[in-house]
Amino acid sequence: MVRKLACTGAGAALLVGLLFGTDAFSYISTSASRLKDSVKNNVPVEFELDRARKMITDLTPEIRRNMHLIAKEEVEVERLEGRLNDMEEKLVSSKTDIVRLKNDLDSGSTHFTYAGHSYSRNAVQTDLAGRFERFKTQDATRVKLESILRARQQGLDAARAKLDGMLTARRQLEVDVENLEARQKMVEVAQTSSKFAFDDSHLSKTKRLIDEIRTRIDVAERMVDVDGELAGEIQLDEQVDADISQEVASYFGLEIELEADEELVEIDTKASEQLTKRIELSQLN
């Protein structure tokens, strides 16, 4: 079965390679990306909100682990602080004893009595040297412990800040999911309300039918007028040709100007006739 699947896959890959050549990988990756986007876009929003809430809930174990680590580190830091405090107290006491022995040796005495016991100068010098070496070792250890304590305190502060950030981010995510859920409910309410909207498709169809009927009647009326003009009526009188000059004069209001011009012509004619007569009479005389 596995061999058959492997052979089928190899054959499919070979076929794709033959069809698309070097672009086969691009076609395959693009198709896979589009398929992924299509599937993701078809996932209901309610399902995605539930998934987001579950992912927020899944943050709780990680937060609790971090809280446990912080609590453990706090205990370790407190122990280190206690150890360092005890060491500092012992160093203070050791320093006091060392200074006392030094002062006794500086006094020049050869025998010294401490707690009812007598000690020689060499014994006191040997004890002072040992105490001083142990003090220096303990003091160096104290310095290292202080350095370790500061580093662990800084790490603890960073861990606390990180935990606070995670808690704040989780609360913000919870608020965001609640807001998105409220918006989704508003969308659902709007979609539900739109289902009760009046369907005016029938009204629109009726109006469109009335307009079509009106158009058909207008066209029919115009066709009747055209048919009447084409049929014509019997001409009872002969058609008289219109005087184009008279029509132009009438249209532009030139009747008065034409009459005035005719009167001027008549006056000029009479004046020329009178002048001719006078010339003839003068020649006779």
Side-chain angles (χ1 to χ4, degrees):
M1 183 65 182
V2 176
R3 183 179 297 176
K4 183 183 291 185
L5 292 175
C7 293
T8 303
L14 180 61
L15 179 60
V16 172
L18 292 174
L19 290 176
F20 300 105
T22 57
D23 296 331
F25 178 77
S26 177
Y27 279 101
I28 293 173
S29 60
T30 303
S31 300
S33 178
R34 293 189 64 179
L35 179 61
K36 179 181 178 181
D37 293 338
S38 177
V39 172
K40 188 174 182 180
N41 291 331
N42 290 327
V43 175
V45 176
E46 294 80 4
F47 179 82
E48 294 287 15
L49 288 173
D50 292 338
R51 192 164 71 94
R53 278 191 289 267
K54 185 179 183 303
M55 292 178 68
I56 294 173
T57 304
D58 292 340
L59 292 173
T60 302
E62 183 178 357
I63 292 175
R64 294 186 67 86
R65 284 194 300 271
N66 291 331
M67 293 175 67
H68 177 74
L69 293 174
I70 290 174
K72 184 178 179 181
E73 184 65 15
E74 288 175 346
V75 172
E76 295 293 336
V77 168
E78 289 177 359
R79 288 180 179 177
L80 185 58
E81 288 177 345
R83 180 183 173 186
L84 187 60
N85 291 331
D86 293 339
M87 184 174 288
E88 288 177 348
E89 291 178 359
K90 290 180 180 180
L91 286 173
V92 171
S93 178
S94 297
K95 181 179 179 181
T96 302
D97 293 340
I98 290 170
V99 172
R100 177 183 176 184
L101 292 174
K102 174 186 175 299
N103 292 332
D104 290 344
L105 289 172
D106 291 341
S107 66
S109 299
T110 57
H111 291 84
F112 304 93
T113 301
Y114 300 105
H117 297 283
S118 179
Y119 299 94
S120 64
R121 184 177 183 86
N122 290 333
V124 173
Q125 287 179 344
T126 301
D127 184 71
L128 177 59
R131 288 173 181 266
F132 185 58
E133 288 297 327
R134 288 193 298 273
F135 179 85
K136 289 190 294 184
T137 301
Q138 292 175 355
D139 190 46
T141 303
R142 178 190 61 81
V143 173
K144 291 181 180 179
L145 287 177
E146 286 181 347
S147 177
I148 293 173
L149 179 60
R150 285 194 298 270
R152 297 186 73 166
Q153 285 176 340
Q154 290 176 357
L156 183 59
D157 293 338
R160 287 170 177 168
K162 182 178 179 181
L163 179 61
D164 292 339
M166 292 183 66
L167 293 173
T168 302
R170 187 182 68 174
R171 286 193 292 268
Q172 184 61 44
L173 290 173
E174 291 173 348
V175 172
D176 292 340
V177 170
E178 291 178 359
N179 290 335
L180 292 174
E181 187 175 9
R183 292 175 60 186
Q184 177 63 18
K185 288 182 179 179
M186 292 297 295
V187 172
E188 292 175 355
V189 170
Q191 291 176 346
T192 304
S193 301
S194 64
K195 294 180 181 179
F196 296 99
F198 291 104
D199 184 10
D200 59 350
S201 59
H202 185 71
L203 177 62
S204 299
K205 290 180 180 179
T206 304
K207 290 181 178 180
R208 187 165 57 252
L209 176 61
I210 296 299
D211 291 338
E212 292 176 356
I213 294 173
R214 183 180 295 107
T215 301
R216 292 181 62 182
I217 292 176
D218 292 341
V219 172
E221 289 177 350
R222 293 198 178 189
M223 291 302 297
V224 168
D225 294 338
V226 171
D227 291 340
E229 292 178 359
L230 292 176
E233 295 178 348
I234 298 174
Q235 188 69 32
L236 300 179
D237 299 323
E238 293 183 359
Q239 186 174 359
V240 178
D241 294 335
D243 187 356
I244 187 63
S245 298
Q246 185 64 29
E247 289 181 3
V248 172
S250 175
Y251 184 83
F252 290 107
L254 301 177
E255 292 91 350
I256 298 176
E257 294 180 1
L258 291 174
E259 291 177 357
D261 292 340
E262 291 177 356
E263 290 178 357
L264 291 174
V265 169
E266 291 179 356
I267 292 171
D268 291 339
T269 303
K270 291 180 179 179
S272 60
E273 290 178 354
Q274 292 178 358
L275 180 60
T276 303
K277 289 181 178 179
R278 288 179 181 178
I279 293 172
E280 290 177 352
L281 291 176
S282 64
Q283 289 177 352
L284 292 175
N285 295 329

